[in-house]
Amino acid sequence: MRTDVLVVGAGISGLTCASRLTEAGLRVIVQESRERVGGRIRTFRPADGGPALELGAQVVHGVRNPVHTLMGSDRMETVPRDVAARVVEDGALKGMAVLARGRRGPWALEAELNAAQGDADVSVGDWLRSRGADGAEGRAVREWYRQNWAVEPDVLSARAVARAHRGDDVGGEFAVSGGFDRLPAQLARCLDVRLGCPVDELDWSKGRVRARTAQGELHAGAAVVAVPPQVVVNGRLRIGGLPAAKWQAAKDLPAGDGYCAVVTLSAPAPESAVVFDVDGLGGFARSRAGRPEVLIVAKAGAAAAVRSAVRGGGGPAALLARSMPWTRSARVVAAEEADWGNDPWSGGAFTAPGTGARDASDLWAEPVEDTLFFAGEATVCGRRLPWVQGAIASGERAAAQILSGVAR
């Protein structure tokens, strides 16, 4: 089978790219390894029809986020703020305000860093040390960064984080009404997407691509690699003749660990609450008043801790008891997990900008011989927030690169 463009990966970047190319009149086939579209967007819907919960990408950041335009204002909603906010610190459950009592709260230090205009590419950890963030204050803000960026602050670029926030994260947090997975479903609506059919190998020469899959071969004039670099590094997608510099760039763009779980209990939550585990054992836990589910979202070291707790002999009961004492009188009915760190098609939560990572990101984004093109949040690492808006921007850029070549 032959097509104009083959897109490998039906995450947001691949679907965005395929949509733009299809709108321009090109024939496009999208190959996806999973049995669903959306990549690291995954929505959980309770069996009783209760509110959807997100096991992957959580929120839409900022009023300028392109998701608002793609979905329409009538399908967007503001993330509720009227929730009880608490922390677990030194094993004790406290009000979130304790993090700013006699010390600077993590959000205040984050705002200060985001406003900084320094030229030196120092790590967030070094920047925090330069600001005297130590003791309890330092522990809290470092865990805050781990849970927001999925990596250790000592490898995270302060300059890149500030740049990304200034450019993208403006004006609050929003959700897609009915579930985030409505976004990829809408993007895929008019596309030729082949689910459950991973591309095992790409062979190419200038202007010609051959893709090998378990269902046969596909031929195209160009291919868009819209999978995380780790999928190439781990050999799930083999690309023949990939330049050595490209291969090194892929290895230099690892994704941080991430793990999410929805735990359904035998009793409903008495309140809507969000709990931040400063001790690094639980990430963020959220409950909604009147609902029996607790959503846990953990990154970096906390992802490993939560993964172990949920899968351990005692299940997640002890973990939940730390952050939400009301769960002690309930039993665990079910647990649904999304283990992004061990998912072979994602390799982690997302790629955070390490010091010096921008060079690797730029190199990974660079087309090869106007034949191989690259999309995904890793290709905008260090310039855009590595969440849905970054994925959309990368897909649009790859499509524009292909269309520029067609125009010539």
Side-chain angles (χ1 to χ4, degrees), residues 61-383:
H61 295 266
V63 296
R64 296 202 301 256
N65 197 300
V67 176
H68 293 280
T69 301
L70 290 168
M71 298 304 299
S73 59
D74 60 325
R75 299 184 70 181
M76 302 297 295
E77 57 190 38
T78 304
V79 173
R81 295 289 187 179
D82 55 340
V83 300
R86 300 191 178 94
V87 298
V88 175
E89 187 177 42
D90 297 328
L93 187 63
K94 311 172 184 178
M96 184 79 77
V98 73
L99 297 184
R101 193 170 298 149
R103 48 175 153 157
R104 294 164 292 182
W107 48 88
L109 284 161
E110 180 183 54
E112 185 180 340
L113 186 152
N114 291 345
Q117 300 286 337
D119 292 328
D121 191 14
V122 301
S123 73
V124 168
D126 284 339
W127 186 89
L128 291 171
R129 280 185 282 272
S130 76
R131 300 296 300 150
D134 54 15
E137 178 184 84
R139 287 193 298 274
V141 71
R142 283 169 175 79
E143 187 61 20
W144 180 269
Y145 272 100
R146 291 184 191 105
Q147 294 315 307
N148 280 284
W149 290 91
V151 295
E152 289 296 320
D154 283 338
V155 302
L156 185 62
S157 167
R159 183 173 63 186
V161 165
R163 182 191 301 116
H165 270 289
R166 287 196 298 268
D168 279 359
D169 190 10
V170 180
E173 296 180 340
F174 303 84
V176 177
S177 299
F180 216 150
D181 63 353
R182 291 188 172 184
L183 171 62
Q186 178 161 308
L187 287 170
R189 188 177 49 193
C190 297
L191 300 177
D192 183 355
V193 181
R194 316 287 175 85
L195 297 176
C197 188
V199 173
D200 299 316
E201 187 169 4
L202 285 177
D203 289 327
W204 66 279
S205 58
K206 186 173 176 61
R208 298 168 62 91
V209 174
R210 179 176 64 178
R212 292 190 176 95
T213 77
Q215 285 75 34
E217 291 187 353
L218 285 168
H219 297 264
V224 180
V225 177
V227 299
Q230 192 61 34
V231 176
V232 177
V233 173
N234 67 25
R236 292 278 175 171
L237 171 62
R238 301 183 299 277
I239 305 176
L242 191 67
K246 275 278 192 186
W247 176 254
Q248 185 60 50
K251 292 195 289 186
D252 289 341
L253 293 167
D257 196 6
Y259 180 91
C260 302
V262 173
V263 181
T264 303
L265 296 139
S266 60
E271 63 176 354
S272 296
V274 57
V275 182
F276 167 43
D277 193 330
V278 173
D279 296 341
L281 299 176
F284 280 90
R286 293 178 173 85
S287 66
R288 184 189 290 248
R291 293 299 307 173
E293 302 91 9
V294 174
L295 172 66
I296 304 170
V297 180
K299 304 185 187 79
V306 173
R307 183 185 293 117
S308 177
V310 172
R311 295 177 180 177
L319 173 68
L320 292 177
R322 283 173 51 85
S323 57
M324 297 191 174
W326 63 268
T327 64
R328 293 170 184 161
S329 60
R331 60 183 174 82
V332 174
V333 175
E336 180 83 10
E337 65 175 359
D339 189 352
W340 301 108
N342 289 316
D343 185 324
W345 305 113
S346 65
F350 51 79
T351 301
T355 54
R358 181 169 178 175
D359 292 340
S361 176
D362 288 346
L363 186 52
W364 184 244
E366 190 69 22
V368 178
E369 294 286 341
D370 287 330
T371 302
L372 294 182
F373 298 82
F374 297 81
E377 46 80 19
T379 67
V380 296
C381 179
R383 293 183 302 281

